[in-house]
Amino acid sequence: MKNGRGNRVAVVGTGFVGASYAFALMNQGIADEIVLIDANENKAEGDAMDFNHGKVFAPKPADIWHGDYDDCRDADLVVICAGANQKPGETRLDLVDKNIAIFRSIVESVMASGFQGLFLVATNPVDILTYATWKFSGLPQERVIGSGTILDTARFRFLLGDYFAVAPTNVHAYIIGEHGDTELPVWSQADIGGVPIRKLVESKGEEAQKELERIFVNVRDAAYQIIEKKGATYYGIAMGLARVTRAILHHENAILTVSAYLDGPYGERDVYIGVPAVINRNGIREVIEIELDEEEKKWFHRSAATLKGVLARYFAQ
């Protein structure tokens, strides 16, 4: 199907997240070719038909079709959105047993095609499954990326912007660690227009500090709230995945909070975890090690330890 026009993205799993991601790619004109792969071939075919009917409205029409793992051979990027969804009351880590086996099959099928590109993982628990993708694929660590805390960071910036009445694009703040219950806000480095957020709340008193704590809790628990209301989260993460895809395909060297492999930075080794990293056509160019205060360091190590505890059940550490 490939006609040599340019970048190909293969989307594995066309459920809520995968279909929303493909829709974001099409609307933003990021990819030249989009192939949809799903165990439910009718669903993938129906999505491809639906997208093609809207081609005339796209800023840069892409070739889009439903295919199979053989189409991954010429893909620049394979994005995995397949797997069991998080149900009300479940944590992301509850999904490990269900999704590890699914991922082994998917990754081995992709690699059997002769794939030589990059993996981007969206399925939860994303840090665990990104590590699994790295192990199952045998690819270099920099060519396997997880969506990490990119959405958590976006939520954080939105809520802080809303509180301080400034555009979220002018809020510079990160959520790092596990994409899950042990993630942490890096308050020590958060600023708005160059002014530290901690300084901004000094004059506002104790209630302002409590409001910042509530903002973080709402960031951390956002998925639970959305799942309770509508059953799943997909638009926000789809846009985050599109942002990472653009950074990769356009060789942007953009800094995004993705799940990256650590082998020394932040005092951690042999774990994929959400941290700021420079992303380009080759994958993760480097991890950015921002300075954490002592409490943040302890919190980050606890988060990494939580992930390592899960990984130890499936992989020799």
Side-chain angles (χ1 to χ4, degrees):
M1 188 86 182
K2 181 152 184 165
N3 58 23
R5 280 182 46 200
N7 298 314
R8 176 183 294 188
V9 175
V11 183
V12 180
T14 60
F16 286 131
V17 173
S20 299
Y21 165 62
F23 189 58
L25 288 184
M26 187 171 177
N27 274 303
Q28 296 180 40
I30 294 173
D32 300 300
E33 298 183 340
I34 304 168
V35 55
L36 306 177
I37 302 168
D38 197 281
N40 183 345
E41 292 186 23
N42 283 334
K43 170 64 164 66
E45 183 177 9
D47 280 332
M49 292 170 64
D50 206 359
F51 289 141
N52 276 313
H53 297 164
K55 242 186 198 181
V56 295
F57 308 118
K60 176 186 166 187
D63 286 338
I64 185 164
W65 70 97
H66 79 284
D68 55 34
Y69 289 111
D70 286 342
D71 290 300
C72 295
R73 180 182 60 251
D74 296 320
D76 300 281
L77 179 67
V78 168
V79 182
I80 307 180
C81 304
N85 294 323
Q86 187 176 351
K87 297 177 181 177
E90 280 188 320
T91 70
R92 294 176 180 93
L93 292 180
D94 289 334
L95 301 174
V96 179
D97 289 336
K98 300 175 185 177
N99 284 332
I100 284 280
I102 294 172
F103 261 61
R104 182 184 289 276
S105 175
I106 289 171
V107 173
E108 289 179 353
S109 296
V110 171
M111 296 309 296
S113 74
F115 174 67
Q116 296 181 8
L118 276 65
F119 277 106
L120 175 57
V121 178
T123 308
N124 282 317
V126 68
D127 304 291
I128 301 298
L129 294 176
T130 305
Y131 187 98
T133 299
W134 171 57
K135 284 289 190 180
F136 296 154
S137 69
L139 290 175
Q141 62 200 42
E142 66 272 10
R143 286 170 55 192
V144 180
I145 307 168
S147 55
T149 52
I150 190 168
L151 179 55
D152 310 272
T153 292
R155 289 167 172 158
F156 195 38
R157 295 171 69 195
F158 165 73
L159 290 175
L160 285 171
D162 188 55
Y163 178 69
F164 288 103
V166 298
T169 50
N170 295 122
V171 177
H172 307 288
Y174 293 123
I175 298 290
I176 63 173
E178 175 207 356
H179 174 53
D181 294 343
T182 66
E183 65 187 32
L184 63 138
V186 186
W187 291 117
S188 64
Q189 300 296 329
D191 73 80
I192 295 176
V195 180
I197 285 178
R198 282 178 171 171
K199 184 175 181 180
L200 288 172
V201 300
E202 278 178 5
S203 62
K204 295 179 180 290
E206 186 177 339
E207 186 55 38
Q209 183 58 48
K210 288 182 180 178
E211 184 59 31
L212 291 189
E213 293 169 4
R214 283 192 288 268
I215 284 173
F216 166 64
V217 170
N218 282 331
V219 169
R220 185 195 63 199
D221 296 345
Y224 298 127
Q225 297 166 8
I226 295 170
I227 289 168
E228 184 65 31
K229 292 178 184 297
K230 58 177 274 188
T233 70
Y234 36 93
Y235 296 133
I237 188 56
M239 294 177 72
L241 292 169
R243 178 68 189 94
V244 177
T245 301
R246 186 166 72 246
I248 291 169
L249 298 183
H250 295 183
H251 197 62
E252 286 188 356
N253 290 304
I255 298 175
L256 301 167
T257 48
V258 296
S259 189
Y261 185 80
L262 296 189
D263 189 22
Y266 296 94
E268 292 292 344
R269 294 184 183 277
D270 199 30
V271 66
Y272 270 87
I273 194 168
V275 289
V278 180
I279 308 298
N280 64 23
R281 185 84 189 191
N282 300 315
I284 297 175
R285 193 191 78 189
E286 63 180 293
V287 168
I288 302 297
E289 189 168 6
I290 54 179
E291 186 175 347
L292 306 179
D293 65 23
E294 289 305 311
E295 182 58 33
E296 290 164 351
K297 288 178 183 177
K298 292 177 185 177
W299 197 338
F300 185 80
H301 291 313
R302 285 197 300 269
S303 189
T306 297
L307 292 172
K308 287 180 177 180
V310 176
L311 287 169
R313 289 161 33 197
Y314 302 92
F315 303 97
Q317 294 283 292

